[in-house]
Amino acid sequence: MRILLVEDEPRVVQFIKRGLGEEGHDVEVASDAAEGLALAHVGQYDVIVLDVMLPGKSGFHVASSLRSEGNTTPILMLTARDTPSDIAHGLDVGADDYLTKPFDFVELLARLRALGRRKPSIVDGVLRFQDVELDRLQHAVKRSGATIQLTPTEFKLLEVLMRRPGEVVRRSELMDLVWGMSFDPGTGLLDVHMTHLRAKLEAGGRPRIIATVRGVGFRLDTPGPE
Ligand code: CA
């Protein structure tokens, strides 16, 4: 894969560049937002690995600039600040996935492979999966053209899953991204909202698109009988 790495910390650059090079990937490096944007404008990359904390303009600025220009290259955001609002903000401005520093190289590779395989079908802020459309700007969801009224929590849950079709999103991660806590405090919060979300999506006998991966999480998919 051709990878653009936007990162200012020499040790992290060296670690990622050497590791990915050994895996046969071609890595170009930019050390700030302006250089990253300049390279992204002229190069064709399979994935952009983007640090949030850069000198000058942040990684958030890079992601939102690229998306507003219509650039749909998958973005993996690196964040040192393990706070749900940063992660949510990163996803809001157009990142497809994130890793919190420090991370294992194996984890980075796995995420990059998943992103390289996936061509996110985001056009004009609209995420699509089968007959479901989620419009982030209008905050509207449709299935086969019919509007579905979701609560803000249900919308956020669906958005997280639709950004990563076919990929298991862990329960802890959903809790973190939607509610800002990494575990369910024994209330069944996630399951209650998931039940409501599915009921709305499946109204009128439409097939299930959110599969349960027992004990792990959920995946946007067309599941067989559970
Ligand atoms: Ca940095």
Side-chain angles (χ1 to χ4, degrees):
M1 289 198 285
R2 262 175 75 74
I3 297 163
L4 172 60
L5 171 62
V6 188
E7 167 66 90
D8 60 308
E9 292 159 60
R11 279 188 312 140
V12 180
V13 169
Q14 200 186 9
F15 166 70
I16 294 179
K17 197 173 180 193
R18 190 198 301 142
L20 290 178
E22 283 169 5
E23 293 288 325
H25 299 298
D26 183 8
V27 183
E28 283 190 58
V29 180
S31 56
D32 62 26
E35 195 185 352
L37 284 170
L39 282 175
H41 289 158
V42 296
Q44 289 290 321
Y45 299 98
D46 298 300
V47 180
I48 298 171
V49 179
L50 179 60
D51 189 35
V52 170
M53 297 293 285
L54 296 167
K57 296 258 170 79
S58 73
F60 296 136
H61 169 77
V62 175
S64 75
S65 298
L66 290 174
R67 293 304 184 241
S68 68
E69 293 160 9
N71 185 313
T72 57
T73 307
I75 295 175
L76 175 67
M77 197 161 256
L78 302 179
T79 173
R81 300 180 295 176
D82 185 14
T83 63
S85 62
D86 275 355
I87 293 164
H89 185 49
L91 297 177
D92 279 346
V93 297
D96 298 277
D97 201 357
Y98 68 92
L99 266 183
T100 302
K101 291 179 181 176
F103 51 83
D104 288 335
F105 186 72
V106 172
E107 178 73 5
L108 173 69
L109 266 187
R111 300 295 184 93
L112 288 176
R113 274 196 208 103
L115 283 174
R117 272 199 302 272
R118 182 163 22 125
K119 290 291 171 202
S121 53
I122 308 173
V123 179
D124 300 334
V126 178
L127 290 161
R128 291 186 176 79
F129 180 79
Q130 297 181 3
D131 59 349
V132 178
E133 285 184 13
L134 181 146
D135 187 329
R136 296 165 62 227
L137 302 177
Q138 304 290 328
H139 230 262
V141 173
K142 288 181 180 175
R143 186 157 192 190
S144 293
T147 300
I148 298 174
Q149 299 293 340
L150 297 183
T151 65
T153 299
E154 291 158 2
F155 186 90
K156 189 72 197 166
L157 270 176
L158 182 61
E159 182 182 358
V160 172
L161 293 170
M162 285 188 73
R163 286 184 165 282
R164 294 155 65 176
E167 187 180 333
V168 180
V169 183
R170 295 185 301 275
R171 298 179 63 91
S172 58
E173 200 174 344
L174 280 166
M175 291 299 301
D176 192 13
L177 290 169
V178 178
W179 287 279
M181 42 188 168
S182 57
F183 62 97
D184 189 329
T187 57
L189 190 65
L190 176 56
D191 296 287
V192 169
H193 285 280
M194 193 59 81
T195 300
H196 292 158
L197 173 59
R198 277 175 166 160
K200 290 179 181 180
L201 288 171
E202 295 165 20
R206 300 210 168 269
R208 175 157 293 190
I209 56 161
I210 301 174
T212 301
V213 182
R214 286 194 194 287
V216 181
F218 299 91
R219 183 180 60 216
L220 200 64
D221 211 344
T222 314
E226 288 182 19

